[in-house]
Amino acid sequence: QVQLVQSGAEVKKPGSSVKVSCKATGGTLSSYSISWVRQAPGQGLEWLGRIIPILDITHYAQKFQGRVSFIADKSASTVHMELSSLRSEDTAMYYCARDKGGTLGSWLDPWGQGTLVTVSS
Amino acid sequence: QSVLTQPPSVSGTPGQRVTISCSGSSSNIGSNIVNWYQQLPGTAPKVVINSDNERPSGVPDRFSASKSGTSASLAISGLLAEDEADYYCSALDDSLNGVVFGGGTKLTVL
């Protein structure tokens, strides 16, 4: 049973970049598509995009185009999410999750435990 | 402002049946599957309904869902205290070419 384990909390300055990792255990990451979703404090869920590691294909939400990138390290069964030009509004819990159905818009299961990114001067 | 519209809150007493609505448009709910997620306090979301009305293994049959046109709804019957959580609907939006979520509905069990 695959599980997704994310890297630890980060505190960043405005204008800098952050990199969050998502490692698959109990299965091969290459077989899956991984989506990234964030949740600002007290707010709802927001989709950032997804990556298909086995094909190295990425798909970014329009809002984050040019500011977010996903990279797959297939040998380490790990996907990295990098968000640049950070501002206070990027303070949120960031989750990775598997696209269970395989296609864009399919359900997300399982989810990582989340990584809190705090942007503060 | 979320692309999918949900009521901010609903409530019910133990044993009751509650429904949570999710309103969208022809570019999302009207043409793609709807998925529902439950988020307990301090935890990651968990899927409770996928593909409009399918219940994943392990989800109690008290959870059901339906879809008609550009709207969908999640129903929880035999309400339990442990059902108190935030619930989100989600679908692919063809116009935005991305996944969208509802704003979330907080279910309170009185």
Side-chain angles (χ1 to χ4, degrees), chain B residues 30-105:
Chain B
S31 53
N32 295 294
I33 61 169
V34 177
N35 305 304
W36 289 90
Y37 299 91
Q38 175 195 62
Q39 186 175 33
L40 298 169
T43 69
K46 165 194 161 188
V47 61
V48 290
I49 294 287
N50 65 266
S51 307
D52 293 341
N53 54 22
E54 295 185 8
R55 209 172 39 250
S57 171
V59 175
D61 59 7
R62 301 183 296 102
F63 289 82
S64 63
S66 62
K67 187 174 84 172
S68 177
T70 59
S71 293
S73 65
L74 172 72
I76 308 171
S77 60
L79 207 55
L80 299 174
E82 67 199 47
D83 299 329
E84 188 161 288
D86 293 324
Y87 292 85
Y88 295 90
C89 59
S90 176
L92 174 65
D93 188 289
D94 294 330
S95 296
L96 295 173
N97 196 25
V99 174
V100 293
F101 288 93
T105 299

Side-chain angles (χ1 to χ4, degrees), chain A residues 35 37 39 43-47 59-62 95 104-109 111-114, chain B residues 33 35 37 39 43-47 50-51 88 91-92 95-103:
Chain A
S35 276
V37 176
Q39 185 173 35
Q43 303 300 308
L45 304 172
E46 184 173 34
W47 184 78
H59 181 156
Y60 302 120
Q62 291 175 6
Y95 296 100
L104 186 61
S106 67
W107 61 105
L108 303 176
D109 178 57
W111 293 60
Q113 83 277 18
Chain B
I33 61 169
N35 305 304
Y37 299 91
Q39 186 175 33
T43 69
K46 165 194 161 188
V47 61
N50 65 266
S51 307
Y88 295 90
L92 174 65
S95 296
L96 295 173
N97 196 25
V99 174
V100 293
F101 288 93

Side-chain angles (χ1 to χ4, degrees), chain A residues 8-18 20 41 83 86-94 115-121:
Chain A
E10 302 266 9
V11 179
K12 294 292 181 180
K13 301 280 190 196
S16 67
S17 299
V18 68
V20 178
L83 185 63
L86 290 170
R87 35 214 189 224
S88 58
E89 310 89 88
D90 294 318
T91 293
M93 186 71 80
Y94 288 76
T115 296
L116 180 62
V117 175
T118 303
V119 182
S120 174
S121 54

Side-chain angles (χ1 to χ4, degrees), chain A residues 9 14 19 21 30-31 36 38 42 45 48-49 61 64 67-68 71-73 80-81 84-85 90 107 113 115:
Chain A
K19 193 173 186 179
S21 300
S30 298
S31 307
W36 287 89
R38 76 178 187 180
L45 304 172
L48 282 76
F64 299 100
R67 208 161 67 91
V68 72
I71 298 170
D73 179 349
H80 304 280
M81 183 278 299
S84 61
S85 302
D90 294 318
W107 61 105
Q113 83 277 18
T115 296

